[in-house]
Amino acid sequence: MPAASTAALFDPAASAGPHPTLTIYNTLSKKKEPFETVTQGKVGIYLCGPTVYGKAHIGHMVGPVLFDTIKRYLTYCGYDVHWVVNITDVDDKLIKAAAEQGITMAEVADLNIKDYDDNLAALGVTEIDDFPKATECMGEIIDFIAGLVDEGFAYESQGDVYFDVAKDSGYGKLSNRTVEAMQGDGGGAADRKRSAADFALWKNAKAGEPSWDSPWGKGRPGWHIECSAMSKKLLGETFDIHGGGLDLVFPHHENEIAQSECRHGKPMVKYWAHNGLLRKDAAAGKIGGRAERDAKEAPADDAGGKMSRSKGAGGLADLIAKQGGERIRFFLLRTHYRSTVLFSEEAIEEAAVGLETFYRLFKRFARITKADFYGLTPPTSRGASSIALGDDPTLNAAEAHREKFLTAMDDDFNTGGAIAELFELARLTNKYCEDRKLEESADPADVATLELLMTTIKELGGILGIFRQPPMSAAGSDDLLDKLMPVVIALRADARAAKNFAIADAIRDGLKPAGVTIEDRPSGAEWTGGGEGAVEAVMQMLIGLRATSRAAKDFATADALRDQLAAIGVTIEDRAGGAEWSVSS
RNA sequence: GGCGUCGUAGCCAAGUGGCUAAGGCAUCGGAUUGCAAAUCCGACAUCGUGGGUUCGACUCCCACCGACGCCUCCA
């Protein structure tokens, strides 16, 4: 691959022209294009964020996770990236929600912004530079509209201001439609518009609505204008990448282009990048879509089992609390961003099985080297691989996988293809540990090689925004379980040493209902799992084991069990109807 | 109706005009293990249907079938 070396050498800060290997799909041209920035070395990204009238759903996270990954990758490639995500905090639905809840629109917004931020943090979305709110950019918005009116691209009508679509010869180019083909009836404001396709830049305030002073009287901005005004303010009149869900192509982004390009007389955006939408199942529409909302608002007639609104889906925050953000992020990144993804908890859990392979490898690394995977510090730029090609076939293979990972990312951010290389790297590393029997003895050279392999995994995982820190355990940690398990393991080790495999196996099997798995290692057993109800299940297993031992007159085991539990403050009392356990504080 | 996207093994999912069609999950063998688990090795697809272009297509074109999105708020 001759391209790899030149790609590694390309320095966006120092070199002009397109990136030699990186391509990005552009919705406007409908093809992949070489990536070339507006300003040498710098990238401006604008992502349409949420309208914060309600709690976020999983669909709202696709764009942020994707663009967080894109920013990480571009930064890794040497670009100086500035990423903006806007918050729409003035809108009909917010006004409605405020009225229903008896609080102000700003309070509705604050509540939901908090929820949104928490969700982003949990998914490892940490790279957003600016979070502008529409209400905080009112001056820029009004100026923008005034400019359009002055130049004849917009007109006032009864306190509203509309964009005059007929004045924009390019209108429809993003969503590939003609003004004639627009079938809308113009909505409720049709009588105030020159054409049904015209859209509101400014809406006259109705009584009791939040409003701002403007040259056209009190009112508030239309939906699309804030993005034109805020992107101009923060990224300039022409910037590099504009993102959002595919459902925003029309009318939102079409209207943004119309406003900005008529106002500035130059292209607004170089690359329009749209992510695919999430669906619940093959026959359902997108998550959070109209069909879903209609179902939610429909009267509750559970009788027929219409659609799947019952199954305790819970909110996004609940999902994150249950699954953990890294699983969700990994799940989203497995699929190409422009694809539709069928979303379900089962699908997340299946993806999580693969993720566990990495977590086990991290533990294996710690076992061998006594070092913490999360403490490794990989190179942060593309040109600086930690691996130098040489005679070691394992390292050479690892570097080849690294190159393939980067090639996949270069190809329109193909995270799915990139993840495959991560698995290859894990396999290679496990095999290295296996072949060299590193768990038995590892000389410094072996450890050094192993560290290079693990560092590469950390480096590439970091680009995807994963493996940056230990994942939160699925259901929170449980102190008592942490104390209990060493006792269980010691008990089992004794049994194994005494070749009492019946007891050893009974312990391991008895742990399954608790969701706890034991893995025997030369260096001792390790356990994973747990979760809600695990402590009770483990205790019941121990109580059962003790009863069995006593019945078999194996008082040594029974007593050892009770004594060791007592040592950690857990007492077992034998009662007529069975044993009870309690914790002394 | 208009404009788009998509259809790859049991499931999820990359990718390519000709070289072994990635990877994950599941399954089945083998190594390893007291037995397991984990790990490693191996097995497992001719790419929706029908045509066309081509020396050659899963990859390009056409038609059809099916799914989904947008055309109204929407990540």
Side-chain angles (χ1 to χ4, degrees):
Chain A
M1 296 280 108
S5 56
T6 52
L9 293 174
F10 183 78
D11 178 2
S15 312
H19 192 283
T21 53
L22 180 58
T23 58
I24 177 170
Y25 182 87
N26 188 352
T27 305
L28 187 57
S29 67
K30 294 178 180 54
K31 52 180 196 243
K32 282 182 205 167
E33 300 176 7
F35 185 69
E36 181 170 10
T37 58
V38 176
T39 306
Q40 183 175 317
K42 292 189 187 299
V43 180
I45 302 177
Y46 186 95
L47 174 69
C48 284
T51 302
V52 286
Y53 63 91
K55 295 263 185 282
H57 61 251
I58 182 71
H60 291 226
M61 295 294 117
V62 180
V65 165
L66 166 67
F67 282 92
D68 186 78
T69 303
I70 288 178
K71 176 170 174 185
R72 288 175 194 277
Y73 188 58
L74 292 177
T75 303
Y76 175 82
C77 289
Y79 291 96
D80 177 13
V81 185
H82 185 186
W83 178 23
V84 177
V85 177
N86 74 295
I87 301 283
T88 302
D89 61 348
V90 48
D91 155 273
D92 287 343
K93 287 201 283 291
L94 274 140
I95 293 170
K96 190 176 164 214
E100 284 169 0
Q101 296 167 36
I103 55 180
T104 67
M105 186 175 76
E107 285 166 340
V108 170
D110 285 347
L111 235 45
N112 293 313
I113 288 170
K114 170 81 168 69
D115 175 66
Y116 186 70
D117 285 346
D118 290 348
N119 295 148
L120 292 181
L123 292 190
V125 177
T126 62
E127 301 299 298
I128 298 170
D129 296 296
D130 280 310
F131 254 128
K133 294 181 202 166
T135 56
E136 291 172 354
C137 300
M138 218 38 87
E140 286 86 358
I141 290 171
I142 289 168
D143 285 350
F144 203 107
I145 297 171
L148 284 170
V149 172
D150 289 348
E151 289 159 38
F153 292 109
Y155 57 90
E156 188 200 343
S157 176
Q158 301 172 39
D160 292 347
V161 179
Y162 294 95
F163 184 87
D164 192 344
V165 165
K167 298 280 168 57
D168 178 16
S169 59
Y171 194 77
K173 66 182 180 181
L174 182 68
S175 57
N176 192 28
R177 60 190 82 200
T178 58
V179 176
E180 300 78 63
M182 285 335 150
Q183 294 186 349
D185 57 8
D191 55 328
R192 277 164 281 168
K193 297 182 187 180
R194 289 179 190 168
S195 155
D198 292 352
F199 54 92
L201 299 173
W202 190 259
K203 295 178 176 179
N204 192 15
K206 299 194 189 81
E209 286 183 351
S211 65
W212 287 260
D213 288 324
S214 82
W216 318 283
K218 283 190 177 297
R220 59 192 164 89
W223 176 33
H224 318 296
I225 193 66
E226 66 176 68
C227 290
S228 285
M230 297 193 288
S231 65
K232 175 185 186 179
K233 177 186 179 188
L234 294 164
L235 298 172
E237 294 179 357
T238 300
F239 57 96
D240 300 288
I241 303 175
H242 189 133
L246 267 167
D247 51 353
L248 296 185
V249 173
F250 187 91
H252 186 53
H253 290 164
E254 192 70 71
N255 292 349
E256 279 186 44
I257 292 200
Q259 294 157 356
S260 291
E261 300 197 348
C262 285
R263 180 82 178 75
H264 302 132
K266 61 173 84 160
M268 177 189 189
V269 168
K270 278 208 79 166
Y271 309 99
W272 287 88
H274 291 100
N275 59 268
L277 306 174
L278 259 35
R279 281 193 284 148
K280 273 213 175 93
D281 61 67
K286 65 188 174 184
I287 284 174
R290 184 175 44 190
E292 204 174 82
R293 289 197 306 273
D294 288 350
K296 202 176 281 183
E297 282 166 25
D301 58 335
D302 292 313
K306 290 270 187 200
M307 270 269 92
S308 59
R309 69 187 196 77
S310 52
K311 292 282 173 257
L316 176 56
D318 293 341
L319 181 75
I320 289 171
K322 186 167 169 203
Q323 296 291 344
E326 184 146 279
R327 285 179 167 201
I328 298 171
R329 183 171 182 120
F330 185 72
F331 167 76
L332 293 175
L333 255 19
R334 281 199 318 168
T335 308
H336 188 92
Y337 73 86
R338 269 185 285 118
S339 306
T340 300
V341 173
L342 295 184
F343 170 81
S344 68
E345 247 185 286
E346 294 73 49
I348 287 182
E349 278 161 8
E350 192 207 293
V353 176
L355 213 39
E356 295 294 333
T357 300
F358 293 98
Y359 299 152
R360 280 190 297 265
L361 175 58
F362 301 164
K363 282 188 187 169
R364 186 175 205 176
F365 173 66
R367 241 182 284 136
I368 293 168
T369 66
K370 308 289 178 238
D372 179 12
F373 170 81
Y374 293 100
L376 294 172
T377 49
T380 55
S381 80
R382 182 170 186 157
S385 173
S386 41
I387 297 174
L389 291 181
D391 298 331
D392 188 326
T394 299
L395 290 179
N396 289 348
E399 180 62 17
H401 288 306
R402 177 176 173 275
E403 291 293 349
K404 284 179 79 175
F405 180 104
L406 299 178
T407 300
M409 290 300 287
D410 272 348
D411 183 9
D412 193 28
F413 311 108
N414 182 357
T415 53
I419 283 173
E421 301 306 319
L422 230 34
F423 276 102
E424 293 284 10
L425 239 18
R427 186 177 55 75
L428 194 68
T429 308
N430 270 317
K431 190 167 164 48
Y432 185 76
C433 295
E434 205 87 342
D435 290 348
R436 313 282 293 213
K437 301 196 188 325
L438 297 191
E439 266 130 336
E440 293 167 26
S441 72
D443 62 42
D446 291 333
V447 169
T449 299
L450 180 57
E451 274 181 1
L452 287 178
L453 293 168
M454 297 304 288
T455 300
T456 302
I457 290 174
K458 185 129 197 306
E459 173 188 354
L460 303 183
I463 291 172
L464 301 177
I466 56 176
F467 307 156
R468 294 167 52 241
Q469 52 191 276
M472 68 170 232
S473 65
S477 62
D478 187 315
D479 291 344
L480 186 53
L481 188 63
D482 289 343
K483 282 204 275 188
L484 209 48
M485 284 310 298
V487 173
V488 173
I489 285 171
L491 229 38
R492 184 161 174 275
D494 291 345
R496 291 181 74 212
K499 299 256 190 270
N500 191 344
F501 295 121
I503 287 186
D505 291 352
I507 290 175
R508 190 175 57 204
D509 294 344
L511 250 21
K512 275 183 195 149
V516 175
T517 310
I518 282 195
E519 299 180 15
D520 292 324
R521 309 277 178 199
S523 52
E526 286 185 359
W527 67 278
T528 52
E532 210 171 321
V535 168
E536 183 59 36
V538 170
M539 283 309 303
Q540 287 310 319
M541 182 277 290
L542 290 172
I543 287 168
L545 180 67
R546 187 154 178 277
T548 314
S549 302
R550 293 174 76 207
K553 307 270 188 233
D554 178 5
F555 296 114
T557 299
D559 293 349
L561 200 160
R562 186 180 55 198
D563 294 347
Q564 291 185 37
L565 285 177
I568 60 165
V570 175
T571 49
I572 289 190
E573 293 176 35
D574 297 312
R575 300 281 164 84
E580 285 181 2
W581 67 278
S582 59
V583 184
S584 62
S585 53

